[in-house]
Amino acid sequence: MKTDRKQHLIKKLCNMKRQRVDQSIVPGLEDEATEVAHLLAEPKSEHVSRDGVLCFGKDNLEKHLKMEDFSCAFDYGWKINYGGLDSIHGQGGDDLKLEVLDGLLDEVDEVDDIHAAHDISGACEDFLLDIEFPEKHSVLDCGPREGSTLRNSSSESHSPGFSGSSNSAGGISESSIPTVQESNSKNGVLGNMVSCDLHRNFRSKYGCQGPVLDTIRPTIEDVQDLDVSDDDEEPLVSFILSNRKVKGSVKVTKGGTLLRQKRLRKPTRRYIEEFSRNSTTGKNKCLKVRSQEEFPQVPSKSQPRRGRPKKIVPKLELESDCEFSASESEDQHKRTKRSKTACDRRKHQTMWTLAEVIKLVDGIAQYGVGRWTDIKRLLFASSAYRTPVDLRDKWRNLLRSSSAHGHNRREVQNNVKHAVRPLPKPVVRRIRELATIHPYPRVRSSKISSVDYVPSSKQPTTKVAPVYSPARNLRGKNCC
DNA sequence: CTTAGGG
DNA sequence: CCCTAAG
């Protein structure tokens, strides 16, 4: 009987929520919500609380509806259920999330970003899940603000009433607080306990940064354990979890298990080797430096991922180490050298987000191929990583991939989509266009063959050609 | 220092 | 991503 009523209430609530989505404000909902919340809290089944926790991050409303009422509705499924308006807003929300995250990441609210993200909004729909991983990954860069960003954007997606501020990046921080409260009240629908928990988290989050880590981390661990088996079924969940883990300033690329893996993997054999070596030689300085790099908190702007200095520091140490290790065999010495360099240049494979790719493509469209430093300075100025060389490499890869499954088989591409990181079709199209306009040296041959490139068409396409020389000037002028 | 190209 | 050669 209780469950019966519960369901009824949930449906009712659901309807109200839909109303709310449309009308943006429905007085009296809070009361109803509280009532339902009590009912739900009583059974205290595991999944209720879990859902509550998991729903915390993104699309609370969506998830609630999905899990409780529309079990078949997932991902964008729910958008379909809710018709045009919501579809638009939902997409807008996701789109916005992209923009906002990226914008904050770059600390520059460039209009370009918005353009870029907007361009791909259609594509995002398909690739949302794929985007989210890298996207959240990049969130690492903006620790403190990330929380509010996420929440803000999430609420954007289900409450059009707030979408007024969506266009201005400046309004985000302002609107985030009230929005958060909104989210909380929605969360409360499923359980006050959860709500309380969230409130705690929020409070600590907005109050002070320090304690947050300690507060959140245990929660994460708990939820993580619960969630392990559901990871496949609930991609959003993993997304949320990961995001929260990110708040713990731990680098995470995917599911929760990776967290521990990474942590465990940190003291590599090489590291231990070095450790012992250094301790025997009594050179702690080297060790210190290494330990700093071995445990990178986040690729923050203040600590560029790979700076030129890195080259210098190890070199000096190497020299002194050579002096010290006079007794060592040459082979060992050689190995030390190699391991040192390898250690310093360890791969921090920061995945390219779709937004980044689009920015890159935009930049290339603007400045042409080969002006990597300009593109880097103008579009990736705030991305501490991503050297011009990286951009070039990425472009090379993009060319390759775009030409790989180009005109041949779209279906295959769709199949590959799941295996490899897919590239939205519009983006691929742009890449291919750019590739035809200015073929990349050397790769050109394969490129041309696939696009049926005619050399004469390159010059007439003056759209980009003239940019080349102005860009030169720009480079000189551009001091920011 | 920047770019191209190879690994 | 990394490294190196070339301008």
Side-chain angles (χ1 to χ4, degrees), chain A residues 326-394:
Chain A
S327 58
E328 317 252 308
S329 70
E330 197 177 340
D331 177 57
Q332 251 178 336
H333 168 223
K334 208 172 175 181
R335 234 180 70 221
T336 306
K337 191 173 181 176
R338 229 183 47 225
S339 63
K340 251 182 199 309
T341 53
C343 217
D344 294 331
R345 305 185 174 285
R346 69 197 180 286
K347 294 178 195 179
H348 352 53
Q349 285 230 37
T350 38
M351 295 239 280
W352 277 77
T353 65
L354 182 60
E356 276 179 314
V357 169
I358 290 182
K359 242 182 352 182
L360 173 63
V361 172
D362 264 351
I364 290 172
Q366 280 184 45
Y367 306 107
V369 168
R371 315 203 48 74
W372 306 115
T373 48
D374 291 334
I375 297 175
K376 192 261 186 298
R377 275 208 292 259
L378 280 135
L379 275 78
F380 292 81
S382 42
S383 312
Y385 42 97
R386 307 297 180 222
T387 67
V389 177
D390 288 333
L391 302 187
R392 181 182 56 85
D393 285 337
K394 183 55 182 176

Side-chain angles (χ1 to χ4, degrees), chain A residues 167-184:
Chain A
N167 283 335
S168 66
I172 284 167
S173 51
E174 285 176 333
S175 64
S176 61
I177 303 284
T179 322
V180 166
Q181 285 166 356
E182 190 75 6
S183 299
N184 271 342

Side-chain angles (χ1 to χ4, degrees), chain A residues 33-34 36-53 56 184-203 219 226:
Chain A
T34 325
V36 179
H38 285 312
L39 279 172
L40 290 182
E42 260 187 44
K44 198 174 174 264
S45 66
E46 185 179 297
H47 79 276
V48 168
S49 57
R50 194 194 67 194
D51 287 352
V53 174
F56 140 85
N184 271 342
S185 48
K186 274 166 191 164
N187 269 322
V189 167
L190 272 194
N192 276 338
M193 26 182 285
V194 174
S195 178
C196 288
D197 211 51
L198 293 176
H199 270 301
R200 264 213 326 269
N201 283 343
F202 284 137
R203 262 210 306 275
T219 320
L226 280 170

Side-chain angles (χ1 to χ4, degrees), chain A residues 183-470:
Chain A
S183 299
N184 271 342
S185 48
K186 274 166 191 164
N187 269 322
V189 167
L190 272 194
N192 276 338
M193 26 182 285
V194 174
S195 178
C196 288
D197 211 51
L198 293 176
H199 270 301
R200 264 213 326 269
N201 283 343
F202 284 137
R203 262 210 306 275
S204 48
K205 186 155 303 175
Y206 288 103
C208 49
Q209 274 303 312
V212 176
L213 306 184
D214 295 328
T215 315
I216 287 181
R217 223 191 288 255
T219 320
I220 293 163
E221 302 286 320
D222 294 338
V223 179
Q224 188 176 317
D225 289 337
L226 280 170
D227 182 54
V228 160
S229 56
D230 293 342
D231 212 43
D232 290 334
E233 296 175 9
E234 305 171 359
L236 289 176
V237 165
S238 65
F239 164 65
I240 293 159
L241 287 173
S242 308
N243 261 312
R244 302 189 61 185
K245 259 170 270 168
V246 164
K247 281 164 204 154
S249 80
V250 179
K251 194 173 178 179
V252 176
T253 31
K254 222 178 170 181
T257 47
L258 249 171
L259 171 66
R260 292 195 186 106
Q261 275 184 357
K262 287 226 165 184
R263 295 198 76 128
L264 288 178
R265 213 177 53 192
K266 284 285 163 52
T268 54
R269 192 170 53 84
R270 230 170 9 210
Y271 177 79
I272 295 169
E273 201 178 307
E274 283 300 306
F275 183 91
S276 59
R277 277 186 57 79
N278 288 319
S279 57
T280 51
T281 52
K283 288 202 79 69
N284 289 331
K285 180 180 143 199
C286 182
L287 177 68
K288 198 176 171 187
V289 171
R290 174 128 328 103
S291 62
Q292 265 182 0
E293 294 190 342
E294 273 299 326
F295 306 101
Q297 291 284 346
V298 278
S300 65
K301 268 145 283 181
S302 51
Q303 292 184 343
R305 181 190 53 151
R306 62 165 173 256
R308 300 301 176 194
K310 151 194 79 177
K311 251 182 184 171
I312 297 165
V313 174
K315 220 175 192 173
L316 293 175
E317 284 168 356
L318 193 80
E319 308 254 19
S320 43
D321 201 23
C322 292
E323 292 172 12
F324 259 92
S325 61
S327 58
E328 317 252 308
S329 70
E330 197 177 340
D331 177 57
Q332 251 178 336
H333 168 223
K334 208 172 175 181
R335 234 180 70 221
T336 306
K337 191 173 181 176
R338 229 183 47 225
S339 63
K340 251 182 199 309
T341 53
C343 217
D344 294 331
R345 305 185 174 285
R346 69 197 180 286
K347 294 178 195 179
H348 352 53
Q349 285 230 37
T350 38
M351 295 239 280
W352 277 77
T353 65
L354 182 60
E356 276 179 314
V357 169
I358 290 182
K359 242 182 352 182
L360 173 63
V361 172
D362 264 351
I364 290 172
Q366 280 184 45
Y367 306 107
V369 168
R371 315 203 48 74
W372 306 115
T373 48
D374 291 334
I375 297 175
K376 192 261 186 298
R377 275 208 292 259
L378 280 135
L379 275 78
F380 292 81
S382 42
S383 312
Y385 42 97
R386 307 297 180 222
T387 67
V389 177
D390 288 333
L391 302 187
R392 181 182 56 85
D393 285 337
K394 183 55 182 176
W395 176 245
R396 241 190 330 185
N397 290 333
L398 284 178
L399 279 189
R400 229 182 343 193
S401 60
S402 69
S403 69
H405 30 70
H407 62 305
N408 277 342
R409 344 150 152 205
R410 291 282 160 96
E411 298 93 37
V412 170
Q413 186 183 354
N414 283 343
N415 287 342
V416 172
K417 212 183 268 179
H418 304 294
V420 194
R421 283 170 47 75
L423 222 52
K425 240 199 292 191
V427 177
V428 174
R429 250 189 63 241
R430 290 190 63 189
I431 291 172
R432 291 183 61 192
E433 283 175 17
L434 283 175
T436 61
I437 291 170
H438 15 228
Y440 193 72
R442 196 75 171 186
V443 187
R444 185 182 44 186
S445 56
S446 65
K447 196 59 223 159
I448 292 172
S449 63
S450 69
V451 194
D452 213 347
Y453 165 78
V454 183
S456 57
S457 73
K458 179 186 171 186
Q459 267 75 18
T461 322
T462 50
K463 185 195 165 199
V464 193
V467 178
Y468 231 92
S469 42

Side-chain angles (χ1 to χ4, degrees), chain A residues 58-59 62 66 73-95 121 124-126 128 132 157:
Chain A
K58 181 194 172 193
D59 303 343
E62 298 179 17
K66 277 184 296 192
F74 249 93
D75 297 352
Y76 31 80
W78 95 280
K79 290 173 193 161
I80 294 168
N81 278 341
Y82 282 77
L85 177 67
D86 288 328
S87 158
I88 289 166
H89 280 290
Q91 188 174 319
D94 294 326
D95 190 15
S121 60
C124 283
E125 199 175 19
D126 289 345
L128 214 54
E132 276 166 4
S157 60

